[in-house]
Amino acid sequence: MASSKSSSGSEALSKMSLEQLKAIKEQADDEVNLLQDSLSNIRNATARLEIASSALNDLSLRPQDNWVLGLKGPHHLGVSVLLRLLSKWIISIKFVGKKMLVPLTASLYVPGTLDDADKVLVDVGTGYFIEKTTNEGKNYCERKINLLKSNFDQLVEVASKKKSIADEATVILQAKLKQLTPST
Amino acid sequence: MSSSTAFRELQRELETKANDLSKLQKDIAKNHQVRKKYTIQLGENELVLKELDLLKEDANVYKLIGPVLVKQDLAEANANVRKRIEYISAELKRLDATLQDLEEKQNSKKDMIFKLQQRIQSLQAGKGKA
């Protein structure tokens, strides 16, 4: 069955029996769903990266504000920065002398002071963190975003091809069913 | 009489072969899962290696060990990540070999089951005529 899927599309599909057609349609639908999930994952990750990147931007532009560290996402009191939790590319920031609120739990914040606003620790995966300047951090975010965007585009291509196969299979299946059970 | 015992025996054989086949298929599925995990880890480690390669000699690298961020030497971090990549690649190769082996066994089991089914069918046809 798998080999006939890759051969000349609709002719191969229409030659197949009803059972095979149903199986192929289901398989193609499952694949399309998987691909859609991956696509939305990539979109989420890209969004998080862009948030981190803009936070870095703000950090470098406005170091005088009071800072609030958010556990789950940026709130806008001055600007807050994402801490490591959900995202892989969350950046933890060492601060400089400014007053800020540090989250200890999701509902408990403690006042603290900043240490150094020029360096950021970037989570690069597998437990490794790299100290970079805010500019390098921004570069990192941009690189990752570009990588994700190209992955996204590739996936979109594959997904649309799979979807067209699934749609064709559905159409042919319905046509065959109509042939077998003509309703007057 | 003897034909029905032979019939029953064939059926029993078919059952055991079918059990073997389903066990093989479970093993193959597990193999796929482990392969997926390793492939993801490999990709992650290669990303880390790329980042580490971009660093200058004096950049600070930290590793998260439990709840502690420990400062690491860049050369050491590089070596560690490389070793991990090698290990994962070796594991993946091993899994590939196992997978091929399992798939061959699965195909031969399927053939045996098919032949058994044919024999059973011909027996039934023979019994029917007699």
Side-chain angles (χ1 to χ4, degrees):
Chain A
M1 262 191 281
S3 53
S4 44
K5 224 193 324 182
S6 48
S7 64
S8 50
S10 32
E11 306 143 21
L13 278 181
S14 44
K15 282 195 204 119
M16 280 189 268
S17 73
L18 213 58
E19 285 302 317
Q20 284 177 314
L21 212 52
K22 260 192 230 169
I24 290 217
K25 170 179 158 19
E26 276 181 29
Q27 198 184 359
D29 279 342
D30 286 341
E31 286 175 2
V32 167
N33 282 335
L34 271 178
L35 287 173
Q36 298 284 13
D37 283 343
S38 308
L39 278 177
S40 69
N41 277 342
I42 292 192
R43 253 180 271 138
N44 286 342
T46 316
R48 281 197 302 251
L49 262 183
E50 306 213 335
I51 290 176
S53 175
S54 76
L56 266 187
N57 216 358
D58 287 337
L59 175 59
S60 59
L61 290 179
R62 313 196 295 179
Q64 294 307 317
D65 283 355
N66 288 328
W67 290 82
V68 175
L69 275 179
L71 261 189
K72 294 228 187 231
H75 347 275
H76 279 277
L77 300 176
V79 177
S80 55
V81 180
L82 294 168
L83 250 193
R84 67 172 276 105
L85 242 197
L86 308 167
S87 158
K88 279 174 147 267
W89 303 278
I90 290 183
I91 299 181
S92 84
I93 302 220
K94 304 194 304 186
F95 296 93
V96 169
K98 291 109 186 170
K99 288 202 219 105
M100 53 165 286
L101 291 173
V102 184
L104 290 186
T105 68
S107 41
L108 178 61
Y109 288 73
V110 183
T113 48
L114 299 176
D115 178 23
D116 171 8
D118 291 326
K119 305 260 192 58
V120 290
L121 277 177
V122 180
D123 180 353
V124 291
T126 70
Y128 278 98
F129 289 72
I130 302 183
E131 199 176 60
K132 293 179 183 281
T133 63
T134 39
N135 275 331
E136 286 174 2
K138 260 191 285 177
N139 279 340
Y140 177 83
C141 285
E142 278 174 25
R143 257 181 292 140
K144 272 273 163 358
I145 289 180
N146 289 336
L147 180 67
L148 284 184
K149 283 204 177 132
S150 70
N151 282 348
F152 186 80
D153 293 334
Q154 284 177 330
L155 255 189
V156 160
E157 267 193 60
V158 174
S160 58
K161 279 196 206 132
K162 279 270 149 43
K163 182 126 191 0
S164 63
I165 293 182
D167 289 341
E168 253 191 84
T170 315
V171 160
I172 297 189
L173 183 66
Q174 287 177 337
K176 284 220 168 145
L177 280 176
K178 270 216 189 116
Q179 278 182 345
L180 290 179
T181 59
S183 48
T184 42
Chain B
M1 262 313 177
S2 59
S3 62
S4 58
T5 41
F7 188 65
R8 258 180 283 138
E9 277 212 22
L10 276 183
Q11 280 203 317
R12 247 177 286 152
E13 242 193 277
L14 189 64
E15 241 185 84
T16 38
K17 288 278 185 308
N19 287 339
D20 289 343
L21 184 66
S22 71
K23 192 165 102 54
L24 271 179
Q25 286 175 328
K26 270 190 230 150
D27 287 341
I28 290 187
K30 219 170 34 144
N31 189 299
H32 277 305
Q33 260 187 330
V34 181
R35 259 174 116 238
K36 217 166 60 156
K37 201 174 66 135
Y38 274 137
T39 315
I40 294 179
Q41 283 185 352
L42 186 67
E44 209 183 327
N45 275 295
E46 292 193 339
L47 279 181
V48 178
L49 192 62
K50 258 200 266 174
E51 284 302 318
L52 289 179
D53 284 340
L54 287 175
L55 292 178
K56 289 189 296 196
E57 283 295 323
D58 57 353
N60 291 326
V61 178
Y62 300 83
K63 184 163 166 69
L64 192 68
I65 303 184
V68 179
L69 256 188
V70 182
K71 187 153 158 54
Q72 278 223 320
D73 185 32
L74 182 59
E76 204 183 318
N78 259 318
N80 279 341
V81 176
R82 288 222 167 84
K83 244 190 288 179
R84 184 121 182 92
I85 289 183
E86 273 181 40
Y87 170 74
I88 297 183
S89 315
E91 280 295 307
L92 270 181
K93 256 198 261 177
R94 198 175 57 86
L95 278 176
D96 275 341
T98 320
L99 184 68
Q100 249 194 344
D101 183 52
L102 280 178
E103 280 186 346
E104 274 171 37
K105 283 203 198 126
Q106 185 195 47
N107 286 338
S108 69
K109 270 277 173 329
K110 277 194 194 155
D111 283 338
M112 283 198 271
I113 287 185
F114 188 59
K115 288 200 191 102
L116 265 181
Q117 284 177 327
Q118 281 183 323
R119 280 172 64 192
I120 289 185
Q121 276 181 348
S122 57
L123 251 190
Q124 278 181 325
K127 264 174 52 178
K129 270 193 240 155

